[in-house]
Amino acid sequence: MTNEELQGLVEGISWEYFKRKFEHKASFNPRLRTTGGRYLLSTHNIEINKTYYEVMGLEELIGIIKHELCHYHLHLLNRGYQHKDADFKILLKSVGGPRFCSSLPIEMKKGKAKRVLIYSCVSCKQKYTRKKRMDINKYVCGKCRGRLKLEEIISIDK
């Protein structure tokens, strides 16, 4: 996904869920490491961590965008835009955004991993990220005790 495609996605989500235009810039920031995205108060721009999209997928990206748009729209309306504010919590819940983004595998944050293995449960679709291979005949899903399968292997280029 390019920055232009991200801009279009953010504008679409803003109109669909908030009924308001997003009139600033949305872009991927390769320097973000520990957070999914951030809203910049001074410029009103939104920056997104592209690694979350690459590892966690489009659904996680949409959640991060909804979260950042809550900060954006509330700040422009001079209402409580911080995580602790009731206005923020209410708006976030109404649009179905996450309070916090999911955690990336710790290995990726430290920059040490060469690859990440993603396993999923056949029954409940719960996902598990691992640095090392697991014996899927020995382990089961911790949520429903279902059978596990290797979904994909993501290589991290340095």
Side-chain angles (χ1 to χ4, degrees), residues 22-154:
F22 177 74
E23 297 176 338
H24 291 85
K25 186 178 170 193
S27 61
F28 288 113
N29 182 345
R31 292 181 311 277
L32 292 180
R33 293 281 179 244
T34 59
T35 184
R38 68 178 173 189
Y39 165 63
L40 301 169
L41 294 172
S42 58
T43 61
H44 305 297
N45 293 338
I46 290 177
E47 295 180 342
I48 302 292
N49 183 341
K50 192 170 189 174
T51 307
Y52 272 84
Y53 170 64
E54 292 169 347
V55 174
M56 309 297 264
L58 183 62
E59 194 172 315
E60 183 72 20
L61 177 66
I62 290 171
I64 292 168
I65 292 170
K66 286 180 185 177
H67 180 101
E68 299 309 326
L69 283 172
C70 286
H71 289 300
Y72 172 81
H73 290 300
L74 289 170
H75 182 245
L76 293 179
L77 293 170
N78 294 320
R79 299 187 51 203
Y81 61 88
Q82 295 179 336
H83 289 119
K84 65 183 178 182
D85 296 323
D87 289 336
F88 179 79
K89 291 176 185 176
I90 291 167
L91 181 60
L92 192 64
K93 190 173 183 178
S94 71
V95 299
R99 183 95 188 273
F100 304 101
C101 57
S102 302
S103 295
L104 279 176
I106 293 169
E107 302 83 24
M108 293 186 68
K109 289 182 189 173
K110 293 179 182 175
K112 293 181 181 178
K114 300 281 189 273
R115 67 177 186 192
V116 175
L117 299 121
I118 300 178
Y119 293 90
S120 69
C121 175
V122 175
S123 304
C124 70
K125 310 294 185 228
Q126 175 72 31
K127 291 196 182 277
Y128 299 93
T129 56
R130 297 289 181 265
K131 183 177 177 182
K132 295 182 180 180
R133 280 196 181 270
M134 295 175 31
D135 183 357
I136 57 176
N137 297 318
K138 184 177 177 183
Y139 295 99
V140 295
C141 176
K143 188 174 175 183
C144 74
R145 317 229 8 110
R147 196 169 56 84
L148 297 176
K149 71 173 183 175
L150 179 61
E151 259 324 291
E152 62 181 313
I153 300 172
I154 301 172

